[in-house]
Amino acid sequence: MKLNHVPNLLFLFTIIFAMFPPAGIVSGQSTSPWNEVFNTDGTLRDDLTDLGEYSETVPWMNMEIPVLGNVLEASYHRYETPSGNVVVIPSATTLFFMTMNPSASGLLGSTGQVGNGAGVGIEAPGILKGLINSSPNLQEAWDTIINSLPNHVPPDQFFQDVISGKTNIFTIGGSNAMNFLWELLRISVNDHMLATTLLLYLKGQCASAPGGCPSIVDAAPQPSCPGATVKIGQPTLSIRPIAPEKSLVIGQDPNKRGADIQIDATIPPVVYTWYEAIPVYENRCRGAGSGETPNCKTDGSKESDDGVSYRAIVRYDCKKHVEVYEEPVKSVQAIANLSGESRDWIMGNLAERYYQATVHQPSFTLLPGLGMVATWCDGNKTCRANSTIERIPFADPGRFDLKMTVTTTGTPVSQPRILKGFGKIEVWITLLRSIEN
Amino acid sequence: MDIRIRKWHIYLTVSLTVISILTYYLATRPPSKINNIPPDPAAIAAVAGLAPIYNVDYRLGLENWISKVCAQATENGCQLFKELYAPGLWRNIQRNKMVLISSVSAVRRTQDQNINSPNTQTWELNVSIVDQSKANAQSQDQRVFAIVASNKSGQWVFERLLTNLETPKDNQEGTK
C-alpha cells in the first residue's frame, strides 16, 4: 500500500461520510442475531458482557520503523452476547487496515455489520481496492457508491428491522440513529479511539474474529453432547470522590485537605460448562471368525456357542461439568485529568479577572503512585480490587475526569481483559467580589 | 675552542627534527574525514531529528522521549510522533527494555516522497545502534529514511520517519 494514496482515500471517505450523516446500515443474515445486541431504540443491550479493550500485533497491520518495531497495533472493543456471539468494534485505523486485508483480518468472516457512514464507507467493497491498486477514478468510484446504495428505511423503524433480520438497509437521522451514534461516541471516548462500526461474529465463527475467541478452550462438542460454554462475568468498575463533600483547591484551603477518591472493581467468576460424553457399553456377540474360539451364542436359539463376545458402545450419556474460575485483577491504573472546559475557563474567564490565574497541575497519576491497591478473590471466586487515595492536592478549580484501567489475568478458559471505568470530581474555588456602595 | 661535529650528530639532529615535526603534524592536523554529514542544512535537520528517536532509554519514560523528539521536529511532526508513532513504538521499547545509544549520519538525499511539495526533502541516513540492555551488545547499522520540511523562515526541520510501507524501493535514484 502506498501512503501517497491516503489523501485520495480520505477524500473519498469524506464524500461517503457526507452521504450518510447520522446513519446506520446493516447487512447480515435473515435470522438476525442482532436482537441480542440492540434494543429497538438503537442502544446496546444491558446484558452484553463487556470483554473490554483488546490490542494485538497483527501481520496485516504492519507499519514498521527499523529496530524500534511496529508502529500500529490492532485494537478493538469487544462484547459477548448471552448466547456467546462476539461483537467486535475496531478502531477506525484498525478497520482501515482490515479493509486492506479483508481475509487475513477476519473482516470477511463477520456475519454482518452495523455502522455509521464513515464505517460503511471504509468497508465498501471494491471501491478502496480500486483506489489502492490504480489511480482513483472519481467518476467510477462515485458510480459504484450510487449503485451499491442500500435500501432506506425510516429512522424509527431501523433498529426494529435490524433486530428482525432485514439486511442492506440504511437510515438517516432520527433519535434511534442518534442513540446508536452516542453508543459509538461513548466507546470512542472511553477507549481513545474512533469507533464507527460493529462487526458481529457468531459463536462458532469467533476463531476468525479479530482478537480470536474470548474463551480460549476448545469448545468442540463431544459425541451427542452439547458444546462447552464459557460465561464471562460482567465487571463493575467505579471511581468516585468520597471526601470532602466539596473539595477546595489546595491553594485556598488553610488545612490543605485535598480530596479523597475511592476506586473499586468487581470481577465475577468465569463459568466454564462442558459435557463429558460417557460411553454406555453392552456386551454383544458376533459370529466367530476362523481361528477364533466361540464363547457366546449369536442367537438365543442356538444350542452351542458360535460367536465371540465383545463390548459395543450403544450410546453416550452426557455428564455435565461446571468449573468456576476466578479472574484475578493483575493491575489497576487511575488518572485524573482537568477537563478541557475547565482548562479553557481558567485560562480565559478566570485569567481575565485574576491576572496570575493559570493551570497548575492539570493531570494526576493516581495509581500507581498516590495510593495502595488491595486485590483479592473471595470464596465465591469473585475478584475485587480497591484503593482509597487520600488527600490529592488538586490545585486547579473545575472538573477533573477520572479514569481507571483494570487489567485481569484472564483464566484458563478466557483471555485477559482490559476494562475501564470513569468518574469525575469537581474542585471548587472561592472568588472574591468587591461590592461598592 | 675547537668544536668537533661528527656526522652521526648531524644525522641524529635531522632525524629528531623530522620526527618532531611529523609528530606535531599528526597530532594537530584535522581528521581526514570530518564526518559523513554533507554540509546541507536539510541533512543536518534530518540527523538532528533522528538522533533523539534512536537514543532512547525505556527507564526515562515516554514523555521524556516525546519531548526530546519534539524539540527537533516541526509542529506537525511532533504531533504525528506523539499521536501515531510513539504509543506503538513505546510498547516495543518497554517490552524489550531497550536502552539504545546511536550515532546518526546522513548518506544522501533520495527521491522525495512528495514531489509536489518543494518544501520537503527525503533523506537516507545511517544509524549505528547499540542496545546496551543486551549482554554483549554490538553495534548494528541500519538504513533509515526521514522527511524534513522547511518552515516559514526557511529553516529545515525534521518532520517524520518513513515506515516500511514508504521506504523507497530503488534507492539508487538519488537526486543530489
Side-chain angles (χ1 to χ4, degrees):
Chain A
M1 183 187 70
K2 287 186 177 179
L3 290 195
N4 295 348
H5 289 306
V6 166
N8 297 327
L9 293 175
L10 291 176
F11 176 64
L12 195 74
F13 293 164
T14 308
I15 293 174
I16 298 166
F17 189 83
M19 290 177 62
F20 297 95
I25 189 164
V26 61
S27 63
Q29 295 178 336
S30 55
T31 53
S32 176
W34 289 107
N35 62 353
E36 286 191 328
V37 179
F38 290 114
N39 296 308
T40 53
D41 64 357
T43 54
L44 294 178
R45 288 180 54 143
D46 290 337
D47 55 359
L48 290 176
T49 301
D50 188 355
L51 299 175
E53 200 183 334
Y54 185 80
S55 298
E56 60 179 351
T57 303
V58 289
W60 47 266
M61 203 165 165
N62 182 14
M63 195 165 148
E64 278 201 11
I65 297 295
V67 177
L68 299 175
N70 203 347
V71 173
L72 299 175
E73 274 193 331
S75 59
Y76 333 88
H77 200 110
R78 299 186 303 163
Y79 292 93
E80 189 174 47
T81 69
S83 70
N85 298 335
V86 179
V87 178
V88 177
I89 306 167
S91 69
T93 314
T94 305
L95 186 57
F96 179 87
F97 278 87
M98 289 176 79
T99 313
M100 300 299 131
N101 305 279
S103 182
S105 67
L107 181 61
L108 292 179
S110 72
T111 299
Q113 66 278 338
V114 174
N116 68 4
V120 172
I122 289 171
E123 290 175 66
I127 300 172
L128 298 178
K129 280 280 184 189
L131 272 174
I132 293 155
N133 295 333
S134 62
S135 297
N137 180 327
L138 211 54
Q139 184 60 49
E140 283 179 15
W142 182 264
D143 291 344
T144 308
I145 294 168
I146 296 299
N147 292 333
S148 63
L149 272 181
N151 303 313
H152 177 260
V153 294
D156 293 344
Q157 192 188 323
F158 180 76
F159 281 96
Q160 185 60 56
D161 284 358
V162 169
I163 290 168
S164 64
K166 286 193 179 172
T167 60
N168 294 320
I169 55 177
F170 82 101
T171 192
I172 296 178
S175 60
N176 292 352
M178 287 309 294
N179 284 339
F180 172 61
L181 291 184
W182 277 115
E183 293 281 12
L184 287 179
L185 186 63
R186 179 180 58 80
I187 295 164
S188 299
V189 170
N190 290 353
D191 291 354
H192 289 282
M193 69 179 200
L194 179 61
T196 60
T197 302
L198 276 70
L199 304 172
L200 182 67
Y201 293 83
L202 298 181
K203 189 179 175 189
Q205 300 173 336
C206 65
S208 66
C213 297
S215 57
I216 55 181
V217 293
D218 179 7
Q222 295 203 30
S224 307
C225 289
T229 60
V230 176
K231 181 62 187 166
I232 297 172
Q234 181 74 279
T236 308
L237 275 65
S238 109
I239 176 168
R240 62 196 167 84
I242 52 171
E245 193 173 341
K246 281 194 172 182
S247 300
L248 197 60
V249 290
I250 199 83
Q252 281 194 338
D253 184 356
N255 300 320
K256 307 293 180 196
R257 168 67 178 78
D260 299 346
I261 287 175
Q262 176 72 34
I263 291 172
D264 293 292
T266 305
I267 316 289
V270 174
V271 181
Y272 175 40
T273 306
W274 61 283
Y275 295 86
E276 182 184 6
I278 299 175
V280 177
Y281 295 95
E282 191 177 87
N283 287 327
R284 291 185 177 175
C285 190
R286 61 168 172 79
S290 61
E292 287 183 318
T293 306
N295 61 3
C296 60
K297 296 184 180 69
T298 56
D299 188 337
S301 61
K302 297 278 174 64
E303 291 184 356
S304 60
D305 291 345
D306 63 343
V308 176
S309 65
Y310 70 98
R311 290 184 78 200
I313 297 174
V314 291
R315 68 171 193 280
Y316 286 93
D317 285 345
C318 296
K319 184 180 178 185
K320 186 178 179 181
H321 297 267
V322 178
E323 292 170 16
V324 181
Y325 294 99
E326 55 191 29
E327 187 178 2
V329 172
K330 184 179 177 185
S331 69
V332 181
Q333 295 171 309
I335 55 171
N337 281 322
L338 185 64
S339 69
E341 293 162 6
S342 299
R343 200 182 296 232
D344 292 343
W345 179 76
I346 293 169
M347 299 307 292
N349 199 331
L350 194 64
E352 284 173 10
R353 295 168 63 183
Y354 298 91
Y355 172 63
Q356 289 185 321
T358 186
V359 175
H360 294 94
Q361 188 174 354
S363 62
F364 288 83
T365 300
L366 306 177
L367 293 175
L370 298 184
M372 300 293 287
V373 182
T375 62
W376 73 98
C377 297
D378 62 23
N380 295 322
K381 300 198 173 180
T382 294
C383 295
R384 300 173 199 277
N386 72 20
S387 177
T388 303
I389 303 154
E390 296 178 334
R391 306 180 78 89
I392 304 163
F394 290 110
D396 300 290
R399 190 190 80 226
F400 279 80
D401 295 320
L402 306 173
K403 178 179 169 183
M404 63 183 290
T405 304
V406 171
T407 306
T408 73
T409 61
T411 71
V413 295
S414 62
Q415 296 175 337
R417 288 191 282 177
I418 299 172
L419 304 162
K420 289 177 179 171
F422 301 88
K424 64 180 179 181
I425 179 173
E426 288 179 338
V427 180
W428 296 77
I429 186 173
T430 304
L431 299 177
L432 299 176
R433 179 186 292 173
S434 64
I435 300 171
E436 296 177 3
N437 291 319
Chain B
M1 192 173 67
D2 186 17
I3 298 173
R4 296 182 61 188
I5 298 176
R6 295 184 180 176
K7 263 190 178 178
W8 68 268
H9 284 155
I10 296 172
Y11 292 147
L12 182 64
T13 306
V14 170
S15 298
L16 285 173
T17 306
V18 168
I19 287 169
S20 300
I21 291 171
L22 203 59
T23 305
Y24 178 78
Y25 171 73
L26 289 174
T28 58
R29 67 162 187 163
S32 58
K33 287 173 115 183
I34 298 171
N35 52 42
N36 291 326
I37 303 173
D40 186 316
I44 293 168
V47 170
L50 215 60
I53 293 177
Y54 279 100
N55 283 283
V56 57
D57 184 337
Y58 79 99
R59 294 165 298 191
L60 298 179
L62 175 61
E63 294 302 320
N64 177 283
W65 192 43
I66 289 174
S67 66
K68 283 180 179 170
V69 173
C70 283
Q72 299 293 337
T74 62
E75 197 175 325
N76 286 340
C78 170
Q79 199 66 17
L80 193 66
F81 185 79
K82 189 175 176 183
E83 302 292 339
L84 180 66
Y85 286 65
L89 297 179
W90 191 254
R91 276 192 294 269
N92 306 329
I93 289 166
Q94 271 199 315
R95 199 176 293 152
N96 298 314
K97 294 184 167 32
M98 288 183 184
V99 182
L100 301 185
I101 305 292
S102 309
S103 63
V104 184
S105 58
V107 177
R108 65 192 178 87
R109 184 181 169 188
T110 68
Q111 194 167 37
D112 290 324
Q113 291 294 297
N114 188 354
I115 56 173
N116 295 323
S117 172
N119 298 327
T120 63
Q121 290 184 9
T122 307
W123 280 83
E124 180 183 341
L125 303 109
N126 185 68
V127 189
S128 298
I129 307 166
V130 179
D131 187 349
Q132 294 198 330
S133 67
K134 292 194 170 78
N136 303 322
Q138 290 186 331
S139 173
Q140 59 164 313
D141 284 353
Q142 189 67 47
R143 193 183 59 162
V144 178
F145 294 86
I147 292 179
V148 291
S150 66
N151 59 19
K152 286 176 185 171
S153 57
Q155 285 179 315
W156 289 100
V157 187
F158 173 76
E159 180 95 344
R160 68 183 180 90
L161 276 170
L162 296 190
T163 68
N164 60 322
L165 300 175
E166 309 164 277
T167 301
K169 284 175 184 167
D170 183 3
N171 58 23
Q172 300 305 312
E173 295 177 8
T175 56
K176 189 171 170 60

